[in-house]
């Protein structure tokens, strides 16, 4: 993967939502070890995350598809409507083709679980770069 100077200078603010605390702890550990220059907030409930979207500015939102109270696609439909500028990445371990096709309308990327930190970083960096290039035209 090419280094992108824009990303290095920018400290991205990222929201990650998953109800699996073991996964959250694993992602935290992987991010710490990879020395990324990101501020990452973790949530286990999409409703709480939605409340926080109104309080803080985020650049990227990453959410699991299967969440209690509000699934990831419903969450991203609301985010797309209220915060269309945000990068939206969906991940899931068990997703059906129809859902995957539908989700492409509301997300920029899909990551299949399990994923490596390199896959996560690549999805974030590539999507962020595509967004920057699109808006600099």
């Amino acid at each position: 993967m090419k280094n992108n100077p824009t990303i290095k200078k920018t400290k991205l603010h990222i929201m990650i939502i998953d109800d699996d605390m073991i996964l959250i702890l694993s992602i935290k550990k992987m991010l710490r070890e990879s020395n990324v220059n990101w501020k990452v907030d973790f949530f286990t409930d999409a409703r709480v995350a939605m409340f926080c979207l109104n309080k803080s500015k985020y650049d990227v939102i990453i959410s699991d598809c299967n969440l209690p109270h509000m699934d990831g696609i419903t969450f991203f439909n609301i985010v797309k409507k209220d915060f269309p500028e945000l990068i939206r990445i969906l991940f899931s371990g068990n997703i059906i083709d129809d859902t995957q096709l539908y989700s492409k309308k509301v997300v920029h990327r899909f990551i299949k679980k399990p994923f490596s930190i390199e896959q996560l970083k690549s999805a974030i960096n590539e999507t962020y770069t595509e967004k920057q290039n699109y808006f600099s035209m």
Side-chain angles (χ1 to χ4, degrees):
M1 174 174 49
K2 294 179 182 177
N3 288 333
N4 186 322
T6 306
I7 294 172
K8 285 187 174 183
K9 292 178 185 173
T10 304
K11 184 168 188 163
L12 295 177
H13 193 186
I14 299 172
M15 171 185 282
I16 297 179
I17 310 160
D18 197 307
D19 61 328
D20 182 347
M21 283 305 296
I22 294 171
L23 180 68
I24 287 177
L25 293 172
S26 295
I27 294 172
K28 282 182 180 183
K29 182 178 187 272
M30 289 188 292
L31 289 173
R32 236 185 349 267
E33 292 171 353
S34 67
N35 295 316
V36 291
N37 186 32
W38 300 336
K39 180 178 188 238
V40 183
D41 297 332
F42 293 89
F43 298 87
T44 57
D45 187 322
R47 298 171 304 176
V48 175
M50 186 61 70
F51 176 78
C52 290
L53 276 174
N54 292 303
K55 303 292 181 193
S56 296
K57 183 184 179 324
Y58 288 91
D59 302 296
V60 180
I61 303 174
I62 304 166
S63 177
D64 186 23
C65 187
N66 299 313
L67 296 168
H69 312 296
M70 181 188 308
D71 66 82
I73 293 173
T74 301
F75 174 75
F76 277 137
N77 273 309
I78 296 167
V79 170
K80 181 180 179 184
K81 180 179 154 285
D82 295 346
F83 305 94
E85 73 284 0
L86 296 180
I87 293 170
R88 300 172 304 277
I89 299 173
L90 182 72
F91 59 73
S92 182
N94 46 350
I95 192 164
I96 58 172
D97 289 336
D98 291 343
T99 304
Q100 192 169 358
L101 291 172
Y102 177 73
S103 71
K104 290 180 181 178
K105 295 178 183 175
V106 295
V107 300
H108 298 101
R109 297 271 183 193
F110 172 76
I111 304 173
K112 179 98 171 112
K113 286 182 183 178
F115 53 85
S116 70
I117 190 64
E118 290 308 316
Q119 289 171 304
L120 182 63
K121 287 169 35 179
S122 178
I124 293 168
N125 290 337
E126 289 172 11
T127 309
Y128 183 80
T129 300
E130 288 168 8
K131 179 184 170 192
Q132 297 297 63
N133 290 340
Y134 177 80
F135 287 109
S136 65
M137 289 186 197

